Amino acid sequence: MKNELSKMMCLDLYLSSLSKKEYKNIEPHLEKTEELNMPLVSWDIFAQSYLKEIKEGKKKGDVKKLAHFAGKYNWRINIAKILMEQDYEALVLTDVSQKIIWVNKGFSEMTGYSANFAVNRSPSFLSGPETSAEGRKRIAEKLSTGKPFKEVIVNYKKNQDKYNCELNIIPLYGSEIMHYLALERQVG
């Protein structure tokens, strides 16, 4: 029994590491068994795989929405590549005057502010007593260079909890800079 349990756990680990396409390729070769009593460890592995799928699904939704904007504004950038390669919790799209045009659901989850509240505002509404004036000045200077950059700044959630926010800001070009995309996540 112990040996069978070890085999099942190894199989669980292997199967959880596969992409959907890889799993579909090997599924016909898997032995069909009657219902098994799975050890608790299997559920831990399943949960990790499931959470990974949820995260990828959210990213695909973000890619789809930003692809719409890319088509509308003729951005010359591969949005899908950027989002799939970067780690982020929230996305904030602004115009050149730093007015928010769109935020993803992750923004609301991270900050507590709804998309309706954020749109047409400057991201500075997230600032508070411990937000560094020097940090805000560095961000403004880096925006003027027209190059992607990273910065960490103290922001505040709707409930006034402060957090360190890593900003990965990418200028989006048509014939000139038209928008900025901020990939944001809590750090430290």
Side-chain angles (χ1 to χ4, degrees):
M1 179 66 180
K2 187 176 182 181
N3 192 26
E4 288 300 314
L5 181 61
S6 294
K7 286 180 185 177
M8 288 185 340
M9 289 174 62
C10 290
L11 182 59
D12 285 346
L13 285 170
Y14 172 71
L15 293 176
S16 70
S17 70
L18 299 177
S19 69
K20 285 183 181 181
K21 183 178 179 182
E22 292 169 326
Y23 182 81
K24 285 181 181 180
N25 287 339
I26 68 159
E27 187 176 25
H29 305 288
L30 295 175
E31 181 180 324
K32 302 295 180 196
T33 60
E34 296 297 318
E35 194 172 333
L36 298 173
N37 291 329
M38 301 303 281
L40 185 57
V41 173
S42 296
W43 291 110
D44 292 341
I45 294 166
F46 170 78
Q48 290 173 355
S49 176
Y50 182 67
L51 291 174
K52 181 179 174 186
E53 284 184 38
I54 289 173
K55 188 175 181 180
E56 287 175 1
K58 286 180 178 180
K59 280 191 174 190
K60 286 179 182 177
D62 292 339
V63 167
K64 186 176 179 180
K65 183 63 179 179
L66 286 170
H68 167 75
F69 284 115
K72 182 177 177 179
Y73 296 114
N74 297 314
W75 296 334
R76 297 175 301 186
I77 194 164
N78 187 340
I79 292 291
K81 184 175 192 257
I82 290 169
L83 296 187
M84 295 314 249
E85 292 178 353
Q86 299 289 324
D87 191 24
Y88 65 89
E89 294 175 57
L91 295 174
V92 178
L93 178 64
T94 65
D95 63 14
V96 290
S97 65
Q98 299 179 34
K99 183 175 76 175
I100 296 173
I101 296 171
W102 173 81
V103 296
N104 71 344
K105 289 180 183 175
F107 174 84
S108 296
E109 293 167 3
M110 187 170 84
T111 66
Y113 289 103
S114 71
N116 287 340
F117 181 86
V119 170
N120 293 319
R121 296 183 190 273
S122 164
S124 64
F125 76 87
L126 297 165
S127 298
E130 293 185 41
T131 303
S132 164
E134 292 172 12
R136 291 178 69 179
K137 183 178 178 186
R138 278 194 309 272
I139 290 170
E141 289 170 357
K142 290 177 182 179
L143 285 173
S144 69
T145 69
K147 296 179 182 175
F149 67 92
K150 284 187 180 181
E151 184 73 42
V152 175
I153 193 163
V154 174
N155 275 346
Y156 287 80
K157 299 180 182 192
K158 185 176 182 180
N159 67 5
Q160 295 306 303
D161 286 348
K162 71 178 181 177
Y163 65 100
N164 291 323
C165 184
E166 179 186 76
L167 306 169
N168 182 2
I169 299 180
I170 301 164
L172 302 172
Y173 293 87
S175 56
E176 55 190 47
I177 295 178
M178 301 173 70
H179 300 93
Y180 295 98
L181 179 63
L183 290 76
E184 302 182 1
R185 66 187 183 121
Q186 292 184 70
V187 294

